[in-house]
Amino acid sequence: MRTEQPKVIYLKDYQAPEYLIDETNLTFELYEDHTLVHAQLVMRRNPERGEGLPPLVLDGQQLELLSLALDDRALQPGDYQLDDSHLTLQPTAKQFTVDSTVRIHPESNTALEGLYKSGKMFCTQCEAEGFRKITYYLDRPDVMSSFTTTVSAEQHKYPVLLSNGNPVASGSEEGGRHWATWQDPFKKPAYLFALVAGDLWAVEDSFTTMSDREVALRIYVEPENIDKCQHAMDSLKKSMRWDEKVYGREYDLDIFMIVAVNDFNMGAMENKGLNIFNSSCVLAKAETATDAAHQRVEGVVAHEYFHNWSGNRVTCRDWFQLSLKEGFTVYRDAEFSADMNSRTVKRVEDVAFLRTNQFAEDAGPMAHPVRPDSFIEISNFYTLTVYEKGSEVVRMIHTLLGAEGFRKGSDLYFERHDGQAVTCDDFVKAMEDANGVDLTQFKRWYSQSGTPRLAVEEAFDAAAQTYTLTFRQSCPPTPGQKDKQPFVIPVEMGLLDKLGNPLPLRLQGEEHAHGSNRVLQVTEAEQSFTFVGLAEKPLPSLLRGFSAPVKLSFPYDRDQLMFLMQHDEDGFNRWEAGQQLSVQVLQEMIGQHQRGEQLVLDERLIAAFRTLLQDNALDQAMVAEMLSLPSEAYLTELSEEADVEAIHAAREFARQRIAETLHEPLWQRYQANREASRKTPYVAEAEQIARRSLQNIALSYLMLSGKQEVLAACLEQYESCDNMTERLTALAVLVNSQFESEKAKGLEMFADYFKDDPLVMDQWFSVQAGCTLPGGLERVQALMAHPAFTLKNPNKIRALIGAFANQNLVNFHRADGAGYRFLADQVITLNALNPQIASRLLGPLTRWRKYAPARQAQMRGELERILASGELSSDVYEVVSKSLA
Ligand code: B3K
Ligand code: ZN
């Protein structure tokens, strides 16, 4: 908890550390009611910082210091200073050793940071600043040390003892205890430290690297989960091969371990050689995990593995550089997933997510650049901006340099900085040096926050046969940043003729055309590009593949969008045209609702959907994506002032109309695909996933008809399918239907069957939290009393409270403000238990500026109540105070 005014940390104040740690030797004695940590730090004065010997200030929080020695000389309380977060002592030589022993309490650590217990096992989470809750240390990423770690614990409760690196020794002690020593030869910052002790089983495999070294692979889980590891193991091996092939990166230790834990604040953590995972990102099998969960496991396993190079071998100098490792690694895992599955579908999913959620963050009170300038609590900066927008920034570098140039740049980056802690500037510099280019202006993507707008106009000159596109970029003000300089915006584009054929692209002044797809670089506030040799007016396809994270506008009419939906050679832009068409149609209906008019759906949308459903040659996953209307959250993001009820009413009306008018083709596609699912055992591979996604979206439309034959089909799917993807969709559509007795029975059967599987129960909670029928808040409140629910487990909080506040917008924003009051109550409770989770839950309340005055007042009122509720963690304090500012 915060005891003093929270301090703002600024990037501009960065200074290299006064001292360095060459060797860290740790011994952990784990007991049920406390843990002893002995640390020996072999240290020296940092030569970069000059001659004198300033005081040594070690970080440490919630530690009980039992003994301290400097070069074997025991220190007495008068020899050092202690406060809430530091231990200060005076070195007397350039090289010295600090020995300390502290007592800590993992058994009562509910914040899940530092050393804590998840169920019966001990585990750690040190990024960003958790190591200081384990021992006194220089807990900053630019202090890199080799680590030797000994863990001792009761043998029968904790037969498995793990840490980073390679196992070097082990033995038994008296009194039923045993110990193991691990040595990590690679220097690393403390945030990559990990320790695990528990009764775990392992799935084992091995991988032969490109230089023919054998690496042992192990996934450790609690015994009941041993049959859910194969998918993660397959994903790991694919990741290792992919990183060798695409980036030339080889794994470096003799062993790579993953441990699954149930209580975890994030998805997973890339600790050197010992990744610790939220069990939701490792465990998957047909009966318990959906296709989406399988894909998440594949993506997260890859992400953490890729960090071994982009994060561990080359790490961050300071936490302002977080996107150096996160943006780059998200980009790497997205490309991996694109290569393993459907590239276009992956891009569509990522872009929809970015535009709904990161754009909202960029437009809200917590908006910050990809490389923030300041923070109060670094945990609050593990954001969509640092991760997802950061990945888009790396993607743009790739687009600008091309695949080969980008690879030259990444090779140089890894070679130049291996073993170092570096900055985003160092990353860009390697890209520049390897390619002989200047990315100075491009770097504004790292320093300027907010989502740029890019308005495009066209002009056709029939006599001169020229076609001019004029781009105007601007960026709205964001906290602390009023005026922005122009960005470098790569716009991948093409031009289509009247039949939909791609046209050759020749810019004025060029000798010949350069293909039919090219990247324009918009670098000025206003800039025009003139294409020549065009006998008739073309139709532009702009920002293909979403080549920059901007809000592009071009005055397409609905017929042009329908044309692009069918003819654009870029699959992403075909989807995008459909989205824009849906958005236009829905926004028109939102207006109708606001004026109290009868809602009328533009039949062109139905015609476009009918064409999609009738085209058996199209990728079924893309058809499913294109049939999905933009979410209420996205429509909210697009609104100046979001009208919750109008958005919901318009979207639901459109769904109902689509379901009625397209009943026949939906029914046909549903039946054909369900038939195929019945015949083929479940495999989580692209073609089947595509088939199920179309089957499931068809079912969700069909259920809106309320027809008995559809209900029968839904129940058949629910009861007879062999996998969670079909079962959960059937349950979700039942839950959102009016078939009350079938709904109750379905929910009960599900909970009864899966009550001992926490990850499946999370899905059961989420399905109900997302139900938009009236009474949503009461349902969620009742579920909080369910025996499977606990506020101590972050997955449960996300599944129930998070899903309700983020996805069930009509119920969360109900007019009497009870949804806001409920969320604020949970934040206040969680502030004391788990500040990181409390702070994350606040998201929906921070966006109060999006709503009408009455709702604004209610939301602000709840934020103020949180602020006044007592001693706030720095996590919650920062978000609440910035949202109210
Ligand atoms: N690097 C971790 C993030 C941990 C954050 C803790 N507050 C997960 C990841 O991005 O791979
Ligand atoms: Zn990461």
Side-chain angles (χ1 to χ4, degrees), residues 757-798:
D757 190 324
L759 293 177
V760 182
M761 289 306 287
D762 290 346
Q763 304 174 63
W764 184 80
F765 282 118
S766 276
V767 157
Q768 297 175 80
C771 169
T772 55
L773 297 173
L777 177 60
E778 289 75 9
R779 286 192 295 274
V780 169
Q781 283 170 321
L783 284 168
M784 285 185 63
H786 190 277
F789 185 83
T790 165
L791 277 178
K792 296 224 168 103
N793 176 258
N795 288 355
K796 290 283 171 294
I797 297 169
R798 283 185 279 258

Side-chain angles (χ1 to χ4, degrees), residues 108 169 222 250 400 451 558 592 631 664 677 705 744 756 821:
S108 55
E222 288 166 297
E250 186 176 355
L400 293 170
T451 305
R558 292 183 198 175
Q592 291 163 354
S631 67
E664 269 317 301
S677 298
S705 70
D756 298 323
R821 201 149 55 239

